[in-house]
Amino acid sequence: MTFSASPLPLFQPALLRAKDAGLADAADLGKLPDWDLSDLYPAPDAPELTRDIDLLEKETASFAADYEGRLAKLTPAQMRDCIERYEHISVLAGRIMSYAGLRYYQNTVDGERAKMLGDLQEKITNFTTPLVFFSLEFNRITDATYDELFSAEDGPKRYRPVFDRMRAMRPYQLSDELEKFLHDNSVVGAAAWNRLFDETTAALTFDVDGEEMGLEATLNLLTDHDRARREIGAKALAKVFEKNVKLFARVHNTLAKEKAIEDKWRKMPSPQAARHLSNDVEPEVVEALRNAVTKAYPRLSHRYYRLKAKWLGLDKLQVWDRNAPLPTETPRTIDWAEAEATVLDAYAGFSPELAALAKPFFDKGWIDAGVKPGKAPGAFAHPAVVTVHPYVLLNYLGKPRDVMTLAHELGHGVHQRLAAGQGELLASTPLTLAETASVFGEMLTFRALLAKTTDPVQRKALLAGKVEDMINTVVRQIAFYDFECKLHAARAEGELTPEDINALWMSVQGESLGDAFEFMPGYETFWSYVPHFVHSPFYVYAYAFGDGLVNALYAAYEGGLPDFQSKYFDLLKAGGSKHHTELLAPFGLDASDPAFWDKGLSMIEGFIDELEAMEA
């Protein structure tokens, strides 16, 4: 267990989904909230920030001086004190880097913000290098001593899940010197390439009929009601991606090779193994999920997109039709006040406590909603540290999918607030369960809207939108996972040209989207803007995991499972303190059962059945 010098936020599916129609007039949306980062620090030159940086340097040095070489000799009570000090340092470092990182994501092209982030990354990496011993030495403690330490009543018993996961890395641990080298080198390794990618994508501009647009606004054109406008947007994206594809290929080649080198030294059995370990999920569970989804492609995405081609009056869909609104769907801009009311009402319909946990995000500057020059694209919820609160980033344009994104990110925020009671080390939820509250929040919002919709045309549009979101969350993310698997396997054989990566991308696109599509020249480069491939290799299957899990949970809720709400809150409050098998047991669910995933997929299939029935 080592500190990450990078304040990498939890990017969410909205970052990957195609966006809605072009920029709405901000005046139509009402006043959009900005972050108030003063709960972290009052200003970049605040004395409190300087104080904490100095304090972090002192505390990391004193921690190493007090404990290095002594861990195996500590009594249970001393080990508890040691871990509590380590946790305090984690909060201190996390607070500093959250502030620098969130300021940076507000404007990634601002030189001062980028410099502050880079300088602090370097400082904190240097400060925390003396702590690398902790996980290495801890993993050398014998099993007998470890069991004794973590079973004693006056010991660190409650922290055992954290350290059980850490000890799962024992077979892949390197020497102390190599681990320290990797820690120090991270600033000029993955973190630097991540920044290059972020700054490049944030600075991209696209010529759309003579109007200069950023990435976010241009992606939004792909769901414009005007098909010609969608086509212009898709071709503008392709033109710029092609122009920059060599740089993006260099980023992917370098990061994949860097990962392969580290995996080789650690003797990781596969490129995916580190992700599975960090997610605390068994490889066979992920494989069962992947196989269930790919097997379902024909009855989900292939079938739905053939329906959509019929609705649009087309023999074949183009990529700019994938997220097009239905011809009968009336364009509508939803202002911020209505979006807030919609989501909070849906949350309150499930539990007033859920709505109460979400309300401060709107009232206290915990959301940054507007589209602004240089702002990071997409959406995420950053947990910051448990002693403060999470922050949500959106790029809100007033479209129905933006409301669903708001519901999704607030789900993350509520989850993070509830898990904060576990403390910094136990609050972090493995990615496989980190999507639970977010996808559940979306489902609550969708079901609330569907229940109020009696007009058949509006109901069809709402159902179709939900099916597309679920396909984007399940089918598309598993296709992304397969692309990454192919990419890393191919990179192991040698350097990949942009054309090599393009071909890998198209191989999974055709398989997952089906025969309803033909693909325009240039679509082969659309892998280049997806941030998950850069920031978090193999992250994407967590979305499909979360969607399938939530569909199964929602079926239990609709089925009247006794005390569902209290069980659900217990799941969220657990954070990372329990394995997914323990968390799902009260609901009668088991993710290791292949039939579990079919239950989740059957909900999507049921929605498509309903849409087909409307055609009869």
Side-chain angles (χ1 to χ4, degrees), residues 219-249:
L219 286 169
N220 285 329
L221 293 177
L222 299 184
T223 50
D224 199 286
H225 276 262
D226 183 346
R227 190 170 192 246
R229 187 80 169 152
R230 296 198 302 272
E231 180 179 355
I232 290 168
K235 290 182 175 178
L237 289 165
K239 183 177 180 180
V240 174
F241 293 158
E242 173 61 30
K243 184 179 177 182
N244 290 274
V245 73
K246 289 184 179 179
L247 186 150
F248 289 125

Side-chain angles (χ1 to χ4, degrees), residues 468-494:
E468 290 188 13
D469 283 347
M470 296 173 92
I471 287 174
N472 286 340
T473 305
V474 178
V475 170
R476 190 159 170 79
Q477 303 308 319
I478 290 300
F480 281 3
Y481 177 69
D482 277 355
F483 167 72
E484 287 191 272
C485 292
K486 290 184 176 186
L487 175 74
H488 285 261
R491 182 64 182 90
E493 301 300 317

